[in-house]
């Protein structure tokens, strides 16, 4: 995967990301546990979660309310189901089908245009017993996102990814930690979920810069599905999150790479 620019979006001095990252443990976590928490690090500053603890300071009542309103999670079963969906590619699995079609439509490849693609997706959905509207809505959202140039040209074209696994995997730690605080999950089952997200992230990305790129594009795509008018703003916010992680010295991503230092699959760029 091509490496995107190290600062996809700058963040201003008045940004909430001027707040420090919270490090509270007396002794460092084992590296595998810390790296597993770091997969969700772009959500720690806006939610004021500590970088080095699986527990969160939010009240159990508030955590349960957020899980219900944001994720429709109300118990252990729905929490586990949601984590499983994220690990399987909640949004990326659809993105991976439609992204190549959108790319060909943008290149104006013969036989590839939005009308032909919508017809293909409708036929595909019917053969699988799913709703054609779902696929067409997601295709239209991504097509609009790319052709409207909501994102920078460098991101839209040269660096546009074929998947957004980072967007799904990066939300696993938030759901897991909040479900733990809500009393829906126990810590002994949380760490295997977090390790699964870490191992998957390492399977798709060489470093945090590539992972950050997936987070930004994923959030923009997710926003475009529901309201294209808010996409630029939400992409900017995601850019702020990952920029802070990539450039600030107190960032968990600067303290610990995605891959162990000695691992042959780790590539420094």
């Amino acid at each position: 995967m091509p490496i995107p620019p190290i600062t996809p979006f700058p963040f201003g001095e008045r940004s909430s990301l001027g707040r420090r990252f919270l490090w509270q443990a007396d002794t460092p976590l084992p590296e595998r546990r810390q790296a597993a928490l770091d997969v969700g690090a772009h959500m720690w500053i806006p939610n004021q979660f500590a970088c080095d603890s699986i527990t969160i300071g939010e009240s159990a009542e508030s955590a349960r309310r957020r899980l219900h309103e944001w994720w429709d999670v109300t118990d252990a079963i729905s929490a586990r189901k949601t984590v499983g969906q994220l690990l399987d590619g909640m949004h990326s699995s659809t993105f991976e089908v439609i992204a190549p079609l959108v790319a060909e439509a943008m290149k104006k490849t013969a036989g590839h245009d939005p009308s032909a693609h919508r017809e293909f997706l409708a036929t595909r959905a019917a053969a699988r017993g799913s709703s054609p509207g779902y696929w067409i809505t997601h295709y239209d959202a991504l097509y609009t996102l790319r052709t409207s140039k909501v994102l920078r040209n460098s991101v839209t074209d040269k660096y546009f990814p074929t998947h957004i696994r980072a967007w799904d995997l990066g939300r696993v730690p938030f759901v897991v930690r909040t479900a733990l605080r809500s009393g829906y999950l126990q810590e002994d089952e949380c760490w295997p979920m977090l390790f699964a997200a870490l191992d998957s992230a390492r399977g798709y990305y060489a470093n945090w810069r590539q992972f950050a790129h997936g987070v930004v594009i994923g959030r923009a795509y997710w926003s475009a599905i529901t309201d294209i008018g808010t996409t630029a703003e939400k992409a900017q916010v995601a850019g702020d999150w990952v920029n802070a992680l990539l450039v600030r010295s107190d960032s968990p991503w600067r303290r610990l790479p995605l891959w162990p230092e000695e691992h042959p699959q780790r590539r420094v760029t």
Side-chain angles (χ1 to χ4, degrees):
M1 176 184 294
I3 303 295
I6 192 168
T7 53
F9 298 92
F11 65 91
E13 294 181 359
R14 297 184 180 180
S15 168
S16 62
L17 296 183
R19 293 179 298 191
R20 65 184 179 87
F21 287 97
L22 299 178
W23 295 88
Q24 64 181 28
D26 294 331
T27 57
L29 284 174
E31 284 196 0
R32 182 161 168 78
R33 290 195 172 197
Q34 185 62 63
L37 290 177
D38 292 351
V39 170
H42 63 283
M43 302 186 76
W44 299 162
I45 279 187
N47 291 289
Q48 285 294 277
F49 287 2
C51 299
D52 55 349
S53 173
I54 195 173
T55 60
I56 62 176
E58 184 176 11
S59 71
E61 179 183 0
S62 175
R64 285 192 289 268
R65 183 172 60 252
R66 286 215 281 178
L67 281 178
H68 184 202
E69 293 176 353
W70 296 4
W71 294 92
D72 200 26
V73 168
T74 56
D75 53 23
I77 293 174
S78 53
R80 295 181 188 118
K81 179 180 178 181
T82 298
V83 170
Q85 290 172 332
L86 288 168
L87 290 172
D88 287 342
M90 179 183 285
H91 284 99
S92 189
S93 58
T94 302
F95 184 96
E96 289 160 32
V97 173
I98 63 176
L101 300 177
V102 171
E104 294 301 322
M106 291 187 65
K107 290 188 292 187
K108 302 187 184 304
T109 304
H112 288 273
D113 60 71
S115 296
H117 289 162
R118 293 185 190 103
E119 183 177 350
F120 163 74
L121 291 170
T123 302
R124 183 182 188 276
R128 289 164 172 76
S130 57
S131 169
Y134 169 87
W135 291 96
I136 293 171
T137 296
H138 283 241
Y139 175 88
D140 289 345
L142 184 58
Y143 184 81
T144 302
L145 177 64
R146 294 205 60 180
T147 56
S148 65
K149 304 294 185 182
V150 170
L151 302 172
R152 282 184 172 187
N153 290 342
S154 60
V155 174
T156 304
D157 300 318
K158 182 178 179 180
Y159 296 110
F160 209 86
T162 56
H163 65 82
I164 50 169
R165 292 285 168 167
W167 173 240
D168 293 324
L169 297 171
R171 292 178 291 169
V172 169
F174 175 84
V175 173
V176 168
R177 294 178 72 178
T178 310
L180 174 64
R181 184 67 183 99
S182 299
Y184 300 150
L185 300 177
Q186 300 300 312
E187 186 169 342
D188 61 355
E189 67 178 320
C190 289
W191 284 112
M193 294 176 180
L194 295 172
F195 292 150
L198 171 63
D199 292 341
S200 186
R202 286 173 170 173
Y204 285 102
Y205 301 97
N207 49 52
W208 290 125
R209 284 177 60 192
Q210 287 186 349
F211 187 88
H213 191 227
V215 169
V216 174
I217 300 298
R219 195 169 199 259
Y221 167 68
W222 166 77
S223 174
I225 294 167
T226 55
D227 184 1
I228 191 68
T230 65
T231 298
E233 177 186 355
K234 289 181 178 177
Q236 176 73 57
V237 170
D240 286 351
W241 294 344
V242 301
N243 190 51
L245 284 158
L246 289 168
V247 304
R248 284 178 45 182
S249 61
D250 61 338
S251 153
W253 286 3
R254 293 291 299 275
R255 294 189 179 192
L256 188 66
L258 175 59
W259 284 94
E261 294 282 354
E262 70 281 1
H263 200 284
Q265 284 187 248
R266 179 176 183 263
R267 299 194 298 274
V268 179
T269 57

PDB file of all heavy atoms in Angstrom, residues 219-237:
ATOM      1  N   ARG A 219     -13.454   7.067   7.956  1.00  0.00           N
ATOM      2  CA  ARG A 219     -14.415   7.971   8.595  1.00  0.00           C
ATOM      3  C   ARG A 219     -15.111   8.850   7.559  1.00  0.00           C
ATOM      4  O   ARG A 219     -16.305   9.132   7.676  1.00  0.00           O
ATOM      5  CB  ARG A 219     -13.729   8.851   9.642  1.00  0.00           C
ATOM      6  CG  ARG A 219     -14.732   9.535  10.583  1.00  0.00           C
ATOM      7  CD  ARG A 219     -14.046  10.173  11.769  1.00  0.00           C
ATOM      8  NE  ARG A 219     -14.976  10.412  12.856  1.00  0.00           N
ATOM      9  CZ  ARG A 219     -15.522  11.601  13.141  1.00  0.00           C
ATOM     10  NH1 ARG A 219     -15.255  12.644  12.378  1.00  0.00           N
ATOM     11  NH2 ARG A 219     -16.332  11.722  14.175  1.00  0.00           N
ATOM     12  N   ALA A 220     -14.374   9.260   6.531  1.00  0.00           N
ATOM     13  CA  ALA A 220     -14.995  10.055   5.470  1.00  0.00           C
ATOM     14  C   ALA A 220     -16.052   9.233   4.730  1.00  0.00           C
ATOM     15  O   ALA A 220     -17.146   9.724   4.433  1.00  0.00           O
ATOM     16  CB  ALA A 220     -13.931  10.546   4.501  1.00  0.00           C
ATOM     17  N   TYR A 221     -15.736   7.996   4.425  1.00  0.00           N
ATOM     18  CA  TYR A 221     -16.674   7.103   3.740  1.00  0.00           C
ATOM     19  C   TYR A 221     -17.914   6.854   4.598  1.00  0.00           C
ATOM     20  O   TYR A 221     -19.049   6.944   4.128  1.00  0.00           O
ATOM     21  CB  TYR A 221     -15.954   5.793   3.424  1.00  0.00           C
ATOM     22  CG  TYR A 221     -16.834   4.644   3.001  1.00  0.00           C
ATOM     23  CD1 TYR A 221     -17.515   4.653   1.790  1.00  0.00           C
ATOM     24  CD2 TYR A 221     -16.946   3.512   3.811  1.00  0.00           C
ATOM     25  CE1 TYR A 221     -18.302   3.575   1.395  1.00  0.00           C
ATOM     26  CE2 TYR A 221     -17.717   2.428   3.423  1.00  0.00           C
ATOM     27  CZ  TYR A 221     -18.393   2.472   2.219  1.00  0.00           C
ATOM     28  OH  TYR A 221     -19.169   1.394   1.833  1.00  0.00           O
ATOM     29  N   TRP A 222     -17.706   6.579   5.868  1.00  0.00           N
ATOM     30  CA  TRP A 222     -18.808   6.347   6.806  1.00  0.00           C
ATOM     31  C   TRP A 222     -19.725   7.566   6.871  1.00  0.00           C
ATOM     32  O   TRP A 222     -20.950   7.438   6.886  1.00  0.00           O
ATOM     33  CB  TRP A 222     -18.214   6.038   8.181  1.00  0.00           C
ATOM     34  CG  TRP A 222     -19.170   6.090   9.323  1.00  0.00           C
ATOM     35  CD1 TRP A 222     -20.108   5.155   9.671  1.00  0.00           C
ATOM     36  CD2 TRP A 222     -19.275   7.132  10.304  1.00  0.00           C
ATOM     37  NE1 TRP A 222     -20.785   5.557  10.799  1.00  0.00           N
ATOM     38  CE2 TRP A 222     -20.287   6.765  11.203  1.00  0.00           C
ATOM     39  CE3 TRP A 222     -18.590   8.337  10.503  1.00  0.00           C
ATOM     40  CZ2 TRP A 222     -20.647   7.571  12.287  1.00  0.00           C
ATOM     41  CZ3 TRP A 222     -18.952   9.133  11.578  1.00  0.00           C
ATOM     42  CH2 TRP A 222     -19.962   8.745  12.454  1.00  0.00           C
ATOM     43  N   SER A 223     -19.123   8.757   6.864  1.00  0.00           N
ATOM     44  CA  SER A 223     -19.913   9.974   6.899  1.00  0.00           C
ATOM     45  C   SER A 223     -20.679  10.173   5.602  1.00  0.00           C
ATOM     46  O   SER A 223     -21.851  10.579   5.601  1.00  0.00           O
ATOM     47  CB  SER A 223     -19.009  11.179   7.166  1.00  0.00           C
ATOM     48  OG  SER A 223     -19.732  12.384   7.069  1.00  0.00           O
ATOM     49  N   ALA A 224     -20.030   9.878   4.466  1.00  0.00           N
ATOM     50  CA  ALA A 224     -20.666  10.086   3.162  1.00  0.00           C
ATOM     51  C   ALA A 224     -21.901   9.212   2.988  1.00  0.00           C
ATOM     52  O   ALA A 224     -22.830   9.575   2.270  1.00  0.00           O
ATOM     53  CB  ALA A 224     -19.664   9.809   2.044  1.00  0.00           C
ATOM     54  N   ILE A 225     -21.920   8.062   3.634  1.00  0.00           N
ATOM     55  CA  ILE A 225     -23.067   7.152   3.525  1.00  0.00           C
ATOM     56  C   ILE A 225     -24.335   7.810   4.069  1.00  0.00           C
ATOM     57  O   ILE A 225     -25.429   7.635   3.526  1.00  0.00           O
ATOM     58  CB  ILE A 225     -22.789   5.838   4.283  1.00  0.00           C
ATOM     59  CG1 ILE A 225     -21.659   5.060   3.605  1.00  0.00           C
ATOM     60  CG2 ILE A 225     -24.044   4.964   4.361  1.00  0.00           C
ATOM     61  CD1 ILE A 225     -21.121   3.928   4.443  1.00  0.00           C
ATOM     62  N   THR A 226     -24.186   8.579   5.136  1.00  0.00           N
ATOM     63  CA  THR A 226     -25.356   9.163   5.793  1.00  0.00           C
ATOM     64  C   THR A 226     -25.576  10.633   5.453  1.00  0.00           C
ATOM     65  O   THR A 226     -26.709  11.074   5.333  1.00  0.00           O
ATOM     66  CB  THR A 226     -25.220   9.021   7.325  1.00  0.00           C
ATOM     67  OG1 THR A 226     -23.974   9.598   7.742  1.00  0.00           O
ATOM     68  CG2 THR A 226     -25.242   7.548   7.730  1.00  0.00           C
ATOM     69  N   ASP A 227     -24.471  11.405   5.304  1.00  0.00           N
ATOM     70  CA  ASP A 227     -24.623  12.839   5.053  1.00  0.00           C
ATOM     71  C   ASP A 227     -23.345  13.379   4.427  1.00  0.00           C
ATOM     72  O   ASP A 227     -22.387  13.716   5.127  1.00  0.00           O
ATOM     73  CB  ASP A 227     -24.932  13.579   6.358  1.00  0.00           C
ATOM     74  CG  ASP A 227     -25.201  15.058   6.146  1.00  0.00           C
ATOM     75  OD1 ASP A 227     -25.165  15.520   4.992  1.00  0.00           O
ATOM     76  OD2 ASP A 227     -25.438  15.764   7.157  1.00  0.00           O
ATOM     77  N   ILE A 228     -23.323  13.467   3.105  1.00  0.00           N
ATOM     78  CA  ILE A 228     -22.133  13.915   2.408  1.00  0.00           C
ATOM     79  C   ILE A 228     -21.754  15.342   2.801  1.00  0.00           C
ATOM     80  O   ILE A 228     -20.592  15.730   2.747  1.00  0.00           O
ATOM     81  CB  ILE A 228     -22.333  13.819   0.871  1.00  0.00           C
ATOM     82  CG1 ILE A 228     -21.005  14.015   0.125  1.00  0.00           C
ATOM     83  CG2 ILE A 228     -23.383  14.804   0.407  1.00  0.00           C
ATOM     84  CD1 ILE A 228     -20.015  12.912   0.327  1.00  0.00           C
ATOM     85  N   GLY A 229     -22.734  16.099   3.274  1.00  0.00           N
ATOM     86  CA  GLY A 229     -22.471  17.480   3.664  1.00  0.00           C
ATOM     87  C   GLY A 229     -21.564  17.619   4.861  1.00  0.00           C
ATOM     88  O   GLY A 229     -20.947  18.662   5.063  1.00  0.00           O
ATOM     89  N   THR A 230     -21.475  16.577   5.694  1.00  0.00           N
ATOM     90  CA  THR A 230     -20.623  16.638   6.888  1.00  0.00           C
ATOM     91  C   THR A 230     -19.281  15.941   6.680  1.00  0.00           C
ATOM     92  O   THR A 230     -18.466  15.912   7.595  1.00  0.00           O
ATOM     93  CB  THR A 230     -21.327  15.979   8.085  1.00  0.00           C
ATOM     94  OG1 THR A 230     -21.500  14.577   7.823  1.00  0.00           O
ATOM     95  CG2 THR A 230     -22.690  16.615   8.335  1.00  0.00           C
ATOM     96  N   THR A 231     -19.075  15.408   5.492  1.00  0.00           N
ATOM     97  CA  THR A 231     -17.905  14.563   5.271  1.00  0.00           C
ATOM     98  C   THR A 231     -16.599  15.327   5.415  1.00  0.00           C
ATOM     99  O   THR A 231     -15.638  14.843   6.027  1.00  0.00           O
ATOM    100  CB  THR A 231     -17.985  13.909   3.887  1.00  0.00           C
ATOM    101  OG1 THR A 231     -19.141  13.072   3.845  1.00  0.00           O
ATOM    102  CG2 THR A 231     -16.757  13.065   3.612  1.00  0.00           C
ATOM    103  N   ALA A 232     -16.504  16.515   4.845  1.00  0.00           N
ATOM    104  CA  ALA A 232     -15.261  17.288   4.934  1.00  0.00           C
ATOM    105  C   ALA A 232     -14.904  17.563   6.388  1.00  0.00           C
ATOM    106  O   ALA A 232     -13.741  17.426   6.798  1.00  0.00           O
ATOM    107  CB  ALA A 232     -15.397  18.589   4.153  1.00  0.00           C
ATOM    108  N   GLU A 233     -15.895  17.945   7.171  1.00  0.00           N
ATOM    109  CA  GLU A 233     -15.649  18.241   8.588  1.00  0.00           C
ATOM    110  C   GLU A 233     -15.176  17.001   9.337  1.00  0.00           C
ATOM    111  O   GLU A 233     -14.223  17.062  10.129  1.00  0.00           O
ATOM    112  CB  GLU A 233     -16.932  18.776   9.235  1.00  0.00           C
ATOM    113  CG  GLU A 233     -16.806  19.041  10.721  1.00  0.00           C
ATOM    114  CD  GLU A 233     -18.139  19.433  11.352  1.00  0.00           C
ATOM    115  OE1 GLU A 233     -19.123  19.595  10.614  1.00  0.00           O
ATOM    116  OE2 GLU A 233     -18.179  19.563  12.581  1.00  0.00           O
ATOM    117  N   LYS A 234     -15.834  15.881   9.099  1.00  0.00           N
ATOM    118  CA  LYS A 234     -15.476  14.670   9.832  1.00  0.00           C
ATOM    119  C   LYS A 234     -14.135  14.107   9.379  1.00  0.00           C
ATOM    120  O   LYS A 234     -13.396  13.520  10.178  1.00  0.00           O
ATOM    121  CB  LYS A 234     -16.590  13.638   9.702  1.00  0.00           C
ATOM    122  CG  LYS A 234     -17.829  14.060  10.492  1.00  0.00           C
ATOM    123  CD  LYS A 234     -18.964  13.057  10.430  1.00  0.00           C
ATOM    124  CE  LYS A 234     -20.131  13.541  11.294  1.00  0.00           C
ATOM    125  NZ  LYS A 234     -21.298  12.642  11.212  1.00  0.00           N
ATOM    126  N   ALA A 235     -13.810  14.291   8.104  1.00  0.00           N
ATOM    127  CA  ALA A 235     -12.483  13.903   7.640  1.00  0.00           C
ATOM    128  C   ALA A 235     -11.414  14.773   8.300  1.00  0.00           C
ATOM    129  O   ALA A 235     -10.340  14.293   8.676  1.00  0.00           O
ATOM    130  CB  ALA A 235     -12.401  14.013   6.124  1.00  0.00           C
ATOM    131  N   GLN A 236     -11.705  16.057   8.458  1.00  0.00           N
ATOM    132  CA  GLN A 236     -10.768  16.969   9.118  1.00  0.00           C
ATOM    133  C   GLN A 236     -10.532  16.546  10.561  1.00  0.00           C
ATOM    134  O   GLN A 236      -9.395  16.536  11.051  1.00  0.00           O
ATOM    135  CB  GLN A 236     -11.301  18.397   9.086  1.00  0.00           C
ATOM    136  CG  GLN A 236     -10.454  19.417   9.835  1.00  0.00           C
ATOM    137  CD  GLN A 236      -9.162  19.740   9.115  1.00  0.00           C
ATOM    138  OE1 GLN A 236      -9.175  20.167   7.967  1.00  0.00           O
ATOM    139  NE2 GLN A 236      -8.035  19.519   9.779  1.00  0.00           N
ATOM    140  N   VAL A 237     -11.622  16.187  11.253  1.00  0.00           N
ATOM    141  CA  VAL A 237     -11.504  15.750  12.642  1.00  0.00           C
ATOM    142  C   VAL A 237     -10.640  14.494  12.736  1.00  0.00           C
ATOM    143  O   VAL A 237      -9.748  14.388  13.581  1.00  0.00           O
ATOM    144  CB  VAL A 237     -12.897  15.505  13.252  1.00  0.00           C
ATOM    145  CG1 VAL A 237     -12.778  14.822  14.602  1.00  0.00           C
ATOM    146  CG2 VAL A 237     -13.648  16.825  13.402  1.00  0.00           C
TER     147      VAL A 237
END
